Amino acid sequence: MPDILSQSVQYLKSVGPKRSESFSKIGINTVRDLLYYFPTRYLDRSTILNSVKVLQYLRNGYEGEVTIIGEVISKELIRYGKKQIYKVRLKDNAGFFECVWFQGIKYFKDIFNQNDFYAISAKPVLTKFGHLQFVHPDFDRLAEKESKEFMHTGKIIPFYRVPKELRAANLGDFSLRRIINYAVENFCSNLSETLPEDILISRELLDIHSTVRNLHFPGNHNSLLNAERRIKFEELFYFECMIALRKSFVKNKRKETAYKTDSKFIKKFLDSLPFKLTPAQIKVLHEIRKDLESEKPMNRLLQGDVGSGKTIVALISALIVISNGYQAVLMSPTEILADQHYKRISELLEPLGIKTGILIGGQKKSEREKILGDIEHGKIQLIIGTHALIEENVNYNKIGLVIIDEQHRFGVVQRYNLIRKGNQPDVLVMTATPIPRTLSMTLYGDLDTSIIDEMPLNRKPIKTYLRGESKLNDVYKFIIDKSKSGYQTFLVYPLVEESEKLELKAAETYYNDLKDNHLKELKVGLIHGRMSWQQKEQVMVEFASKKYDVLVSTTVIEVGIDIPDANIMIINDAFRFGLSQLHQLRGRVGRSDKQAYCILITKDEYAIKTNQFSFDFNYLSDEQIEKNKSIIRLNAMLKYNSGFELSEVDMKLRGQGDIFGTKQSGLPELKYANVVTDFDLLVDARELAFQIINDDPSLAKENNSTIRKNLKENFSSNILLSQIA
Ligand code: ADP
Ligand code: MG
């Protein structure tokens, strides 16, 4: 008998071919898909008030939202002058209330018909006529029967997302609910269990049938919570299984060689540097060295704020491997950064007799072929480049160490493609994008972590200011004044990349205007994303050699660039940037012992508001956070210098979804769980997953068969799993 769950939804009651087509447009093809289409919200009777209760709440000074259910009595569109008000009157078993909108609600004509039942959620107010009123509320339409059942039996009503594809097939809240109800009643019991029995027992989790049933139509609040806990646990558990598998996959390999460190050689190199390593740098080098000297491949994340000195740590690690006769490869996200690394590093390594090469796009064919040959024959020992390093025709002699700089800019596939050019090389990935601990546990859960947690001693904290656009003239004066004592300035413009031509034009307009007017007594340079890397490189070299006082720039300078005498960073339209981008930009200055400045420019009204605003997440409602995001970002820049503190703020503003860039992690997206609010569950799932995989890395044991089957069925498209299986 064919598996009923794999059959098309078409055969369900009241679906048919047309609706089935609409379902498939939103990714629901089979009955199983439909069973896993869970509500996004629920209406829970325990949270419903009646109109008299709401009035009581109001009198007692309650300021939050309430939910109330009523039957529509009338609706009208009131115009006066240019303004319009949409008003709907409703009643419940205790009294009357009204809803108003000052801007048109979509489809006003089609909704709020007389005798319809609606659930209304919003902050209540009392009008001057003493009416209970809701302004711009959320609303859900209920069937009459439903609302009766709901009020009298205490049922919880699910609400599903009804995208326009479904609406087009005449599917609305009720019809969708009815179809899903039919599927749940008849086919839920065909689902096979997706977690091993012993885990269900030890974690006191619901079985899969009750879970799916309760997520759709929970009998009460508690059963909903239990179902949610189970589905979240399951998601986190399989997620952590993937990470544990990744980790065990690497750890069970053997390298070709466990390297030996030539301490004298390293010491000689250290003595040649113009500075002493910080204790933090020494500490992480120790950790890396241990890995290099082990037989198992290293898989390590090096975290350190911008300017903390990660490059030199990577370089010393490379030297250990190179002095054992292997090659090291350093991959950077941009050509200009690769080029900068190449210049600095080759200068340092030349005296030691070590050859450095660079491989990036846009090199001359003859030059490229020469380099490719030298790489293949091992004449170049340290290879620096961009993703040009992973192209098919690049053959390495013997890769011992792969270093990924600014790793958050690469995808997992790119990383993997470089790594597999060697035979189980050691891997060091570096990032300055600070990640809250909760996230690094998951996102980088398969990596060992080293953190550089202090800055080189000579650094003074950067002074950060926020100025309105009307103060720009003062800012220009400041730049001119400071340039007299050798200061150089980055002047950054965000460019909305509508088209390449426009971006170029905008950058050039700013540049010409500054050069000919406000900054005409200074030497001004321009760099933008539409230049070839050779052009960019030339500008950077010219800037570094002080041919310019000011560099007008689009955000190409965002990552990694290191020009110690550039000590002023001006960011125009600062409210447009994300927090980590602002922090990266600010990190371009303050790289020497001089006092550095970062001036954020924004619209006057924003600047005033922001300078007055002081945020404290403990006292802000979600709504206030949502409304004030850009102000909070700017405020945080004024308040914090440390990337770690900023990353916490960033996460609160963006939620996990955005930061949790699945593309770069190569891990499945979390649909149900939230690594922040479900942290305890995460830790438990993680411990369990690691224990199971450590015990049985190939999941061959009989009692792990459910896990094995489930991973295969659901994650086989995952690149890392396919390489394991
Ligand atoms: P990041 O960690 O952001 O990649 P870099 O490696 O580019 O930082 O280092 C920033 C600057 O600090 C460089 O100019 C580097 O030479 C310098 N630097 C690194 N380590 C030290 C140190 N221990 N003392 C002083 N300066 C250092
Ligand atoms: Mg760097």
Side-chain angles (χ1 to χ4, degrees):
M1 193 187 94
D3 173 14
I4 182 83
L5 296 171
S6 305
Q7 292 205 359
S8 161
V9 287
Q10 179 174 347
Y11 305 107
L12 290 175
K13 208 167 123 191
S14 44
V15 178
K18 186 157 170 283
R19 283 182 165 176
S20 140
E21 219 171 87
S22 307
F23 271 121
S24 94
K25 277 187 196 142
I26 62 163
I28 299 176
N29 295 304
T30 64
V31 175
R32 177 184 284 101
D33 295 339
L34 191 66
L35 287 175
Y36 274 87
Y37 191 71
F38 293 122
T40 47
R41 276 174 320 117
Y42 303 86
L43 208 52
D44 175 357
R45 178 156 175 215
S46 62
T47 60
I48 307 286
L49 301 175
N50 68 29
S51 47
V52 170
K53 261 263 156 17
V54 176
L55 286 171
Q56 268 171 20
Y57 270 49
L58 270 178
R59 267 178 231 122
N60 293 335
Y62 178 76
E63 291 189 348
E65 279 201 0
V66 300
T67 300
I68 179 167
I69 291 184
E71 183 183 349
V72 177
I73 308 167
S74 69
K75 67 170 168 181
E76 61 182 323
L77 178 59
I78 306 161
R79 292 173 204 272
Y80 55 95
K82 279 190 181 158
K83 291 193 182 137
Q84 311 188 327
I85 299 178
Y86 298 82
K87 185 183 273 186
V88 176
R89 292 195 178 79
L90 302 102
K91 67 167 187 215
D92 66 7
N93 51 8
F96 298 87
F97 58 95
E98 61 192 36
C99 300
V100 295
W101 288 265
F102 298 107
Q103 285 132 29
I105 22 175
K106 274 187 246 162
Y107 328 112
F108 189 71
K109 265 205 297 236
D110 307 333
I111 53 178
F112 290 108
N113 293 321
Q114 209 174 4
N115 304 115
D116 279 354
F117 283 82
Y118 274 86
I120 302 291
S121 302
K123 211 177 117 157
V125 287
L126 206 54
T127 67
K128 62 183 173 195
F129 306 110
H131 294 164
L132 177 59
Q133 189 181 69
F134 298 89
V135 182
H136 289 221
D138 287 336
F139 53 87
D140 290 303
R141 186 170 158 225
L142 305 172
E144 184 184 3
K145 176 168 164 284
E146 213 168 44
S147 79
K148 285 213 173 97
E149 266 182 18
F150 175 73
M151 294 316 281
H152 300 297
T153 63
K155 261 197 182 173
I156 296 178
I157 303 184
F159 282 90
Y160 298 88
R161 210 166 47 82
V162 191
K164 58 178 187 309
E165 289 84 354
L166 295 189
R167 295 207 183 273
N170 230 346
L171 277 161
D173 287 322
F174 325 132
S175 37
L176 181 59
R177 212 175 287 143
R178 236 188 5 249
I179 291 167
I180 292 179
N181 189 299
Y182 177 81
V184 170
E185 288 303 323
N186 292 284
F187 306 116
C188 203
S189 51
N190 292 58
L191 288 168
S192 42
E193 183 51 67
T194 42
L195 278 174
E197 174 115 15
D198 53 329
I199 296 183
L200 294 182
I201 294 171
S202 68
R203 265 62 190 177
E204 297 182 0
L205 297 170
L206 290 182
D207 64 58
I208 189 67
H209 303 154
S210 328
T211 303
V212 172
R213 186 181 298 274
N214 279 326
L215 282 173
H216 287 291
F217 303 102
N220 57 49
H221 196 60
N222 234 352
S223 47
L224 176 58
L225 286 180
N226 280 331
E228 284 176 342
R229 191 167 74 90
R230 140 92 203 216
I231 198 111
K232 287 176 178 180
F233 183 88
E234 173 170 350
E235 179 174 52
L236 292 167
F237 173 72
Y238 280 110
F239 186 89
E240 291 296 335
C241 280
M242 303 273 295
I243 293 177
L245 279 169
R246 248 197 215 186
K247 189 158 185 168
S248 92
F249 175 69
V250 174
K251 284 287 164 205
N252 286 319
K253 298 284 175 193
R254 284 278 173 282
K255 301 196 288 207
E256 284 178 14
T257 319
Y259 304 109
K260 296 208 170 61
T261 309
D262 180 349
S263 306
K264 264 198 211 138
F265 173 66
I266 300 295
K267 184 161 183 311
K268 200 175 121 206
F269 174 71
L270 289 178
D271 289 343
S272 75
L273 293 175
F275 50 74
K276 273 208 167 69
L277 294 183
T278 62
Q281 285 170 317
I282 293 172
K283 179 195 72 190
V284 302
L285 262 172
H286 226 80
E287 292 162 357
I288 293 170
R289 176 178 166 181
K290 258 211 188 124
D291 283 355
L292 294 176
E293 291 176 350
S294 135
E295 287 176 353
K296 295 178 177 179
M298 165 166 82
N299 201 20
R300 188 169 283 279
L301 172 72
L302 176 57
Q303 264 187 278
D305 214 340
V306 282
S308 62
K310 294 183 291 295
T311 319
I312 197 74
V313 170
L315 184 56
I316 294 163
S317 317
L319 284 180
I320 296 179
V321 170
I322 291 170
S323 63
N324 279 265
Y326 281 77
Q327 290 173 311
V329 183
L330 168 61
M331 183 159 77
S332 289
T334 63
E335 283 150 353
I336 182 166
L337 189 54
D339 183 64
Q340 174 188 288
H341 280 323
Y342 172 68
K343 288 226 168 67
R344 302 247 165 113
I345 291 173
S346 53
E347 203 170 292
L348 286 170
L349 297 194
E350 189 128 330
L352 305 176
I354 293 174
K355 221 167 160 252
T356 312
I358 180 166
L359 202 58
I360 50 187
Q363 283 171 310
K364 276 200 224 93
K365 194 155 176 253
S366 55
E367 186 186 2
R368 182 180 158 84
E369 265 159 21
K370 165 99 177 55
I371 296 170
L372 285 179
D374 286 353
I375 292 174
E376 187 158 4
H377 298 116
K379 285 189 197 154
I380 298 179
Q381 293 126 303
L382 177 59
I383 306 106
I384 296 173
T386 55
H387 40 260
L389 293 168
I390 53 184
E391 277 165 24
E392 238 9 87
N393 62 353
V394 187
N395 297 309
Y396 297 86
N397 189 268
K398 239 171 41 158
I399 297 187
L401 174 64
V402 165
I403 304 161
I404 316 265
D405 194 18
E406 308 287 351
Q407 80 86 34
H408 57 285
R409 300 281 299 254
F410 292 101
V412 69
V413 178
Q414 288 171 314
R415 221 151 69 203
Y416 170 65
N417 281 339
L418 181 56
I419 292 167
R420 76 181 181 156
K421 295 249 182 196
N423 179 22
Q424 315 304 337
D426 285 312
V427 178
L428 182 67
V429 304
M430 308 198 287
T431 185
T433 300
I435 313 147
R437 225 181 62 80
T438 42
L439 273 180
S440 64
M441 259 183 81
T442 41
L443 203 49
Y444 301 116
D446 60 330
L447 302 175
D448 298 311
T449 309
S450 291
I451 303 180
I452 304 185
D453 54 6
E454 69 187 322
M455 289 294 189
L457 268 182
N458 59 356
R459 305 283 165 77
K460 295 193 180 75
I462 302 167
K463 289 191 174 157
T464 304
Y465 303 98
L466 180 71
R467 292 287 177 265
E469 278 163 356
S470 65
K471 296 271 164 42
L472 266 172
N473 277 329
D474 295 344
V475 173
Y476 296 138
K477 256 189 226 133
F478 178 75
I479 297 174
I480 293 166
D481 200 44
K482 281 283 175 190
S483 73
K484 287 176 192 143
S485 48
Y487 270 70
Q488 290 176 287
T489 302
F490 287 111
L491 240 165
V492 176
Y493 290 91
L495 291 171
V496 193
E497 289 183 43
E498 287 169 58
S499 79
E500 301 194 359
K501 273 198 190 128
L502 273 183
E503 162 166 355
L504 187 59
K505 203 167 150 228
E508 280 174 344
T509 310
Y510 292 126
Y511 166 68
N512 287 327
D513 184 43
L514 290 165
K515 166 169 80 74
D516 299 337
N517 298 310
H518 307 288
L519 300 177
K520 62 171 178 284
E521 53 201 282
L522 299 184
K523 292 165 284 175
V524 184
L526 171 67
I527 190 167
H528 58 74
R530 302 298 156 214
M531 292 175 161
S532 71
W533 72 263
Q534 288 97 336
Q535 289 169 314
K536 285 184 213 161
E537 179 209 295
Q538 192 181 347
V539 176
M540 289 312 295
V541 169
E542 288 168 353
F543 190 48
S545 64
K546 300 218 157 175
K547 186 172 166 197
Y548 309 119
D549 305 300
V550 175
L551 189 61
V552 174
S553 166
T554 62
T555 47
V556 288
I557 55 158
E558 180 198 330
V559 293
I561 294 303
D562 184 41
I563 304 221
D565 269 328
N567 271 315
I568 304 175
M569 167 62 66
I570 315 281
I571 306 175
N572 287 284
D573 274 352
F575 70 95
R576 282 187 195 251
F577 291 97
L579 203 43
S580 65
Q581 221 184 350
L582 287 171
H583 182 61
Q584 266 282 353
L585 283 169
R586 180 168 61 183
R588 294 311 108 220
V589 298
R591 303 181 147 243
S592 71
D593 51 3
K594 277 201 201 162
Q595 178 63 54
Y597 304 89
C598 172
I599 306 178
L600 308 166
I601 311 281
T602 187
K603 291 208 170 58
D604 286 334
E605 67 211 56
Y606 256 134
I608 294 166
K609 247 195 197 162
T610 308
N611 279 326
Q612 286 170 350
F613 194 84
S614 176
F615 71 91
D616 181 338
F617 283 114
N618 294 325
Y619 298 105
L620 287 177
S621 69
D622 289 352
E623 200 182 323
Q624 282 169 316
I625 292 174
E626 190 59 40
K627 265 192 201 142
N628 292 299
K629 275 186 177 173
S630 53
I631 289 185
I632 295 174
R633 282 201 299 266
L634 295 177
N635 214 275
M637 284 294 289
L638 299 176
K639 195 161 161 183
Y640 300 120
N641 255 312
S642 132
F644 282 93
E645 275 161 320
L646 289 172
S647 79
E648 299 283 348
V649 175
D650 204 23
M651 183 144 106
K652 293 209 172 89
L653 292 182
R654 291 159 70 182
Q656 65 169 359
D658 227 20
I659 294 198
F660 210 78
T662 34
K663 270 186 240 105
Q664 53 155 293
S665 70
L667 291 165
E669 205 163 339
L670 290 179
K671 280 205 291 211
Y672 310 111
N674 176 307
V675 292
V676 182
T677 48
D678 300 316
F679 189 62
D680 293 343
L681 215 50
L682 168 68
V683 172
D684 185 28
R686 179 181 169 83
E687 268 169 24
L688 185 62
F690 271 74
Q691 197 184 323
I692 289 171
I693 304 288
N694 281 342
D695 233 39
D696 181 16
S698 55
L699 293 169
K701 288 188 188 159
E702 180 54 32
N703 57 343
N704 288 332
S705 60
T706 308
I707 301 177
R708 188 184 169 77
K709 177 164 170 277
N710 212 36
L711 280 171
K712 271 213 162 131
E713 276 172 10
N714 296 311
F715 303 105
S716 56
S717 61
N718 189 290
I719 170 161
L720 288 149
L721 193 64
S722 56
Q723 109 185 229
I724 289 155

